[in-house]
């Protein structure tokens, strides 16, 4: 999929353009449309009434997840920034990179796409909410919303701007659609000013938004 005057593409794995065809998903509770709709409605109601903010909701999710909360994904990103060999493995064979860290997603393929000065990647699941939970933790509430799932495919540059990510016109935006047997993670660009930082310090700059691609990794406070 491409915009009229922009460089957006909508791809699976090889980033080739295609027409999205109906695909039979394995319907776990996370993929049950009624559960997804109910979950989203409750979250939006809590946020609308000011009972909890989106940021507080995400903090609660990560706290409930305990050890993970996207920690393993952050570790992988930080290691890729500091270890050229691991970065090459991560981009060429995501499953092997997971295995090297004692991780795995079971059946789904794991593909990592890299943001550069000329290409920006963003992830969505247009059919339900497929997401590499074993690496990124639970998805943010907005990731499962119908608005995000439909709009980021049609107008990714607009949606990214709403997240505060304003990209130069020359940057190509690639939208990757996750499937029941395919999961994505974005390797964001390493923030400037982090030369000499340890992997542990770098990992603290990586949030789930960066690994989904709607925001860059945090810049260090100067």
């Amino acid at each position: 999929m491409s915009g009229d005057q922009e460089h957006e593409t909508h791809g699976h794995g090889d980033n080739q353009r295609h027409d999205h065809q109906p695909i039979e998903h394995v319907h776990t509770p996370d993929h049950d449309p009624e559960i997804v709709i109910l979950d989203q409605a409750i979250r939006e109601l809590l946020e609308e009434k000011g009972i909890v903010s989106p940021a507080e909701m995400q903090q609660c999710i990560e706290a409930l997840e305990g050890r993970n909360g996207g920690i393993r994904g952050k570790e992988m990103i930080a290691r890729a920034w500091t270890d050229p060999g691991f970065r090459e493995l991560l981009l060429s064979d995501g499953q092997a990179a997971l295995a090297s860290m004692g991780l795995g997603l079971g059946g789904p393929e794991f593909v990592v796409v890299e943001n550069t000065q000329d290409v920006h990647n963003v992830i969505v699941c247009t059919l339900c909410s497929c997401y590499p939970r074993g690496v990124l933790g639970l998805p943010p509430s907005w990731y499962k919303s119908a608005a995000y799932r439909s709009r980021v495919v049609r107008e990714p540059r607009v949606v990214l701007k709403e997240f505060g990510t304003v990209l130069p016109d020359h940057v190509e935006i690639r939208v990757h659609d996750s499937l029941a047997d395919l999961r994505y993670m974005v390797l964001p660009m390493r923030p400037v000013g982090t030369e000499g930082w340890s992997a542990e310090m770098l990992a603290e700059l990586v949030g789930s938004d960066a690994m989904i691609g709607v925001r860059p990794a945090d810049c260090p406070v100067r």
Side-chain angles (χ1 to χ4, degrees), residues 72-144:
R72 303 317 303 271
K74 297 177 182 182
E75 291 174 350
M76 297 181 78
I77 299 298
R79 183 176 173 185
W81 284 342
T82 56
D83 182 343
F86 180 76
R87 172 183 168 277
E88 182 177 351
L89 177 64
L90 187 64
L91 294 173
S92 63
D93 190 340
Q95 295 282 30
L98 286 174
S100 73
M101 297 186 69
L103 301 172
L105 292 179
E109 181 183 359
F110 182 62
V111 174
V112 178
V113 289
E114 182 180 27
N115 284 351
T116 69
Q117 295 291 344
D118 299 311
V119 175
H120 186 93
N121 299 279
V122 62
I123 299 168
V124 67
C125 176
T126 57
L127 294 180
C128 52
S129 57
C130 293
Y131 189 80
R133 298 180 181 220
V135 180
L136 273 65
L138 292 178
S141 58
W142 53 261
Y143 181 84
K144 297 187 284 185

Side-chain angles (χ1 to χ4, degrees), residues 7-9 15 113-123 152 156-157 160-161 163 165-168 170-176 186-189 209-210 212-217:
H7 303 284
E8 290 87 9
T9 60
N15 294 325
V113 289
E114 182 180 27
N115 284 351
T116 69
Q117 295 291 344
D118 299 311
V119 175
H120 186 93
N121 299 279
V122 62
I123 299 168
V152 76
R157 196 172 294 268
L160 290 175
K161 185 176 181 180
F163 277 93
T165 302
V166 180
L167 300 171
H170 78 274
V171 175
E172 177 186 356
I173 301 175
R174 297 177 182 172
V175 179
H176 302 270
V186 172
L187 173 59
M189 290 189 291
D209 289 359
I212 295 171
V214 295
R215 291 192 179 98

